[in-house]
Amino acid sequence: FYSDIIFQNNGATGSAIGLTCGGRNIFFRCVVNNIRGHGINSSSNALFLECEMYACNQSNTASTAGINLTVGTLVRCVSHDNAGSNSSGFSIAGVACYMYECISDTNGQHGIFINSTTATPVIKNCDIYNNGSNGITSAGGGSFIPLLIENCNILKNGGWGILSGSDAITIGILTNCGFGTGTQANASGDISGLAHVVQILEVITLHLSLPCRAKRRVRLDGVLFGFGHGLVSIVLGDSN
């Protein structure tokens, strides 16, 4: 168990990784910054809780990110301001990768780069915005990639909100996600190449002071409303 540790400044040249995790560990509130390569590279079933990665991949090496995850779980982690055209916030490079309530913003390349033909990512309650290229990119390689994205906000990215590469066969479910409009829109559009992905928008009726425990999108009479955590203090309709 590692808590409240800062890993930083690992050299002026080269592409060395800031933190390599090869065992079953827990990292709590750790910070990784000013790193030449991946901020974190994890090849074990580790848990990262409320960790922050920024200013990583200063060598601008291809397919590099604030954290590169082969297997493991990320909870309330933030990867931001990893500059350079090859720098993503999160890279998913293997099977059994889970992301909950994470933020990926203002990275030079993608918000989340699914960089594996064997990946089975679960991405829930995450905010992915203002990244230089796509919010979420599926690399492909001609293989099926099961994908679940649920209750995420994906907006103001420089490319697509979600892009499946030309050789990727992405299958799965996209549930209750929000995309920006106007100045908050994804530059190329919201979704591309996800022919085998089912998109579900949750339709419910809310009443006075109904607790909303997760970020939700609510549609009533053709109008789409977005609500975050807290109480909705307005009657939107009758449940009968």
Side-chain angles (χ1 to χ4, degrees):
F1 184 89
Y2 301 90
S3 175
D4 299 290
I5 301 173
I6 298 175
F7 304 88
Q8 62 183 181
N9 299 325
N10 69 339
T13 60
S15 56
I17 296 167
L19 169 64
T20 298
C21 178
R24 296 192 174 199
N25 296 297
I26 297 175
F27 293 88
F28 178 50
R29 289 190 315 218
C30 292
V31 177
V32 183
N33 67 84
N34 289 290
I35 300 298
R36 296 296 301 173
H38 291 305
I40 300 172
N41 184 56
S42 178
S43 59
S44 64
N45 194 14
L47 170 62
F48 296 89
L49 177 62
E50 297 181 5
C51 294
E52 180 185 16
M53 294 72 63
Y54 65 92
C56 299
N57 193 28
Q58 294 185 343
S59 64
N60 200 27
T61 302
S63 302
T64 304
I67 180 168
N68 183 59
L69 191 69
T70 301
V71 59
T73 302
L74 304 165
V75 180
R76 293 189 296 276
C77 291
V78 182
S79 187
H80 65 97
D81 293 285
N82 298 292
S85 58
N86 293 310
S87 301
S88 296
F90 298 87
S91 176
I92 295 175
V95 300
C97 298
Y98 307 97
M99 294 179 60
Y100 303 103
E101 299 182 355
C102 294
I103 296 174
S104 183
D105 78 274
T106 321
N107 298 290
Q109 194 176 37
H110 310 305
I112 300 174
F113 185 23
I114 304 172
N115 187 25
S116 170
T117 60
T118 61
T120 56
V122 174
I123 304 168
K124 300 182 70 172
N125 300 328
C126 294
D127 293 323
I128 305 154
Y129 61 93
N130 199 40
N131 297 288
S133 186
N134 305 308
I136 300 175
T137 290
S138 177
S143 299
F144 282 99
I145 300 176
L147 180 66
L148 171 62
I149 305 173
E150 182 176 281
N151 290 338
C152 292
N153 293 309
I154 307 167
L155 62 151
K156 203 181 178 183
N157 295 290
W160 291 92
I162 305 174
L163 173 67
S164 180
S166 59
D167 60 346
I169 309 172
T170 305
I171 60 176
I173 296 176
L174 176 64
T175 305
N176 204 32
C177 291
F179 299 90
T181 61
T183 59
Q184 302 303 306
N186 297 297
S188 299
D190 293 336
I191 302 170
S192 179
L194 301 184
H196 304 282
V197 170
V198 177
Q199 185 174 4
I200 300 172
L201 178 66
E202 187 174 358
V203 180
I204 61 175
T205 302
L206 297 183
H207 287 264
L208 183 66
S209 297
L210 176 68
C212 289
R213 292 176 182 159
K215 294 178 182 177
R216 318 193 83 171
R217 300 296 180 275
V218 182
R219 185 173 57 202
L220 182 67
D221 297 331
V223 180
L224 184 66
F225 298 89
F227 296 93
H229 301 280
L231 297 177
V232 178
S233 58
I234 184 171
V235 177
L236 297 181
D238 192 339
S239 60
N240 295 323

